[in-house]
Amino acid sequence: LNDTARSAIPALQAALQTFLPRERLLSDPAECLTYGFDNSRRHGQPALVVLAETHDEVAQTLKLCNQHKIPVTARGRGTATTGATTAIEQGVVLSLERMRKILRVDPGNRLLIAEPGVTNAEVQQAAGEHGFFWAPDPSSAAYCTIGGNLATGAGGPRAVKYGTVRENVLGLRAVAANGQEIRTGSLTTKGVVGYDLTRLLVASEGTLAVITEAALKLTPLAETKRTLRVAYRDVHAAAHAVARIMAQPVTPCALEFLDHHCIDMTAGKRPDDLPDGARALLMIEVDGPESCIEGMQAAVIAAAQGTSNEALEVKPATSQAEVDALWSVRKALSPVLRSLAPKKINEDVVVPVTHIPELIERIEQLTTDYRLPIVNFGHAGNGNLHVNLLVHPEREDELERAHAALAELFKSVLALEGSLSGEHGVGLEKRDYIDQEIDAPTLELMRSIKRSFDPNNILNPGKSLPA
Ligand SMILES: Cc1cc2nc3c(=O)[nH]c(=O)nc-3n(C[C@H](O)[C@H](O)[C@H](O)COP(=O)(O)OP(=O)(O)OC[C@H]3O[C@@H](n4cnc5c(N)ncnc54)[C@H](O)[C@@H]3O)c2cc1C
């Protein structure tokens, strides 16, 4: 905070106290501390934390912060991996975690309306009781909120068939920086009146408005699902198979890729049932009507094998226990990765699926050139790879080499017509790289949109767009 803003905090606190009970306005630094982190492990100490329970409280808070020109960071559960949720400007953290009502489940119109603090898992539970689901399925579903999902544009394995947040939100109620209510979209699956502000707010990382209600588009649960694990001799064979699978008409509902590092690192922590020579895996799921599922599975297997039978093994699961066993490499991975190196730089770059083989080649070259272990897995059906650089910062120049490798990785991704982030977003981690992807006039247009929504630059300043 600059001196002027810091000196305005007592007046702001007094004004907030007129409508917020004491226990929902935190000012003790020890209590505020925990609201300054996210999963990037960065931290910014907030001066005040507001635990809002209603739309009106959000509106009043923003109006006052705008009057006093105090920065506000909206917060769901702080699981973002990019620093997007950290209170770097040390102003107010506006926590939405207590806005937890599901306001309407409407199977006839295939929609669910909820407040932003409802978790993704709670939405899935409520929709599931009516035979539906909400497509975005981040692996943090049990903890993260739909407000955070909307503001980051979250996705997960199902995105290959059902899309991310962007394709699965109908409309929003939100509050602009000056406290003004805005409503975007409609409750219909068609609607072309006005500019599409719903999709503008999606992935805007709390920099344009604070979402207080969302109408989510629901999809019927499929009657049945099949799970397969396909093993390949090398990463290139697996990467080529992804493009073959996506080029035929049956879209899998999960198409995940794991490289040889993932296989090696999880040895001893999963059933030892991989065929000899397996150096890459695809995890594939297909869902649909019971009457068609065998044919759908056969079509995907044929594409996974290719005309010259490139797969070492195709292993379908026949029971839930077998499904769990097949996914065990993927499940064992995150804890193992955390224990291997003190620092893990986890990128979530995305390229058109036909460019995955070239991306893999370039990453292998980076491993050699910069002498770093780089572990790759991810949502291959969307071309979205989690590229993990394992770093020991105490070793001489290793962090430096990692950053140089990262810059090369980003260059390669853009040269392959890709994008720097498929789902985690920009926040602070990628903010200073995005001008490599977005040209200057387009960035300037984005800045002018930001100024229209938030002329005093109080909403999550310093995030998403480079200065
Ligand atoms: C173990 C783990 C696994 C993960 N897996 C995935 C994955 O598979 N896919 C994926 O996409 N992500 C994943 N993530 C990242 C993270 O969970 C998502 O980005 C999630 O959407 C963040 O939700 P949140 O409630 O924690 O939001 P927060 O971290 O609290 O906030 C995220 C951003 O949204 C803004 N924000 C929050 N609420 C609002 C609101 N109501 N209005 C306006 N802005 C708001 C914040 O200011 C911030 O910029 C994972 C994270 C972890 C820790």
Side-chain angles (χ1 to χ4, degrees), residues 161-463:
K161 180 166 181 179
Y162 295 107
T164 64
V165 162
R166 195 156 259 143
E167 293 80 32
N168 288 286
V169 54
L170 298 171
L172 299 171
R173 185 184 188 199
V175 182
N178 61 1
Q180 180 68 51
E181 174 178 344
I182 41 183
R183 292 209 178 242
T184 73
S186 63
L187 296 188
T188 53
T189 47
K190 293 180 87 174
V192 288
V193 175
Y195 294 139
D196 191 348
L197 297 185
T198 308
R199 277 155 198 80
L200 180 59
L201 293 189
V202 169
S204 66
E205 299 186 338
T207 61
L208 298 179
V210 175
I211 297 161
T212 56
E213 233 176 82
L216 309 176
K217 181 178 159 198
L218 299 182
T219 304
L221 284 162
E223 214 178 346
T224 189
K225 185 159 80 177
R226 295 285 186 273
T227 303
L228 307 164
R229 184 187 69 200
V230 189
Y232 296 89
R233 237 175 276 286
D234 57 46
V235 286
H236 306 284
H240 284 289
V242 172
R244 282 200 305 272
I245 293 167
M246 293 309 291
Q248 52 82 52
V250 178
T251 311
C253 61
L255 177 47
E256 300 284 303
F257 165 85
L258 297 113
D259 76 359
H260 51 287
H261 295 295
C262 302
I263 294 174
D264 294 342
M265 284 179 346
T266 54
K269 298 192 168 52
R270 54 171 166 79
D272 184 19
D273 65 343
L274 289 175
D276 285 346
R279 303 307 287 146
L281 299 176
L282 292 183
M283 294 298 311
I284 307 174
E285 292 196 324
V286 185
D287 66 357
E290 193 71 65
S291 56
C292 310
I293 198 79
E294 294 304 330
M296 293 169 76
Q297 177 173 263
V300 170
I301 291 177
Q305 286 174 320
T307 44
S308 49
N309 202 7
E310 285 175 40
L312 274 180
E313 179 199 61
V314 178
K315 189 157 180 158
T318 54
S319 64
Q320 189 52 46
E322 282 186 31
V323 170
D324 296 342
L326 291 188
W327 278 105
S328 61
V329 180
R330 179 67 186 85
K331 296 247 160 74
L333 203 53
S334 291
V336 173
L337 271 175
R338 237 166 268 143
S339 67
L340 275 183
K343 188 168 170 60
K344 179 182 73 151
I345 301 178
N346 174 2
E347 291 305 330
D348 77 318
V349 295
V350 56
V351 294
V353 284
T354 53
H355 290 326
I356 298 176
E358 286 156 277
L359 178 63
I360 298 275
E361 268 165 37
R362 294 192 191 195
I363 294 172
E364 283 181 340
Q365 193 58 48
L366 293 179
T367 306
T368 315
D369 292 350
Y370 293 92
R371 293 173 283 124
L372 282 172
I374 305 182
V375 180
N376 304 295
F377 61 92
H379 316 302
N382 293 103
N384 186 195
L385 282 198
H386 292 296
V387 179
N388 293 270
L389 290 78
L390 304 184
V391 186
H392 292 81
E394 76 287 359
R395 290 188 191 153
E396 206 200 338
D397 80 356
E398 197 159 299
L399 198 55
E400 235 168 78
R401 276 186 277 127
H403 285 295
L406 205 58
E408 284 297 316
L409 170 70
F410 290 161
K411 262 194 222 155
S412 299
V413 165
L414 296 176
L416 293 170
E417 303 174 306
S419 175
L420 301 187
S421 176
E423 56 184 24
H424 288 168
V426 175
L428 292 171
E429 298 284 332
K430 293 217 177 86
R431 183 194 59 187
D432 298 328
Y433 293 98
I434 69 164
D435 60 356
Q436 294 174 25
E437 176 169 338
I438 303 172
D439 60 40
T442 312
L443 258 182
E444 191 38 47
L445 181 61
M446 290 184 184
R447 289 197 186 96
S448 67
I449 290 171
K450 163 76 174 162
R451 284 193 291 272
S452 304
F453 274 84
D454 179 19
N456 290 324
N457 193 26
I458 63 156
L459 288 176
N460 216 4
K463 313 290 173 59

Side-chain angles (χ1 to χ4, degrees), residues 1-10 68-71 89-90:
L1 281 184
N2 61 33
D3 289 347
T4 324
R6 190 173 297 112
S7 64
I9 290 285
H68 291 279
K69 299 196 171 50
I70 304 288
E89 295 281 344
Q90 305 169 329

Side-chain angles (χ1 to χ4, degrees), residues 39 74 76-80 84-85 139-140 145 148-149 151-152 155 205 211 423:
N39 192 51
R77 292 287 190 94
T79 66
T85 330
S139 34
S140 50
T145 64
N149 293 170
T152 57
E205 299 186 338
I211 297 161
E423 56 184 24

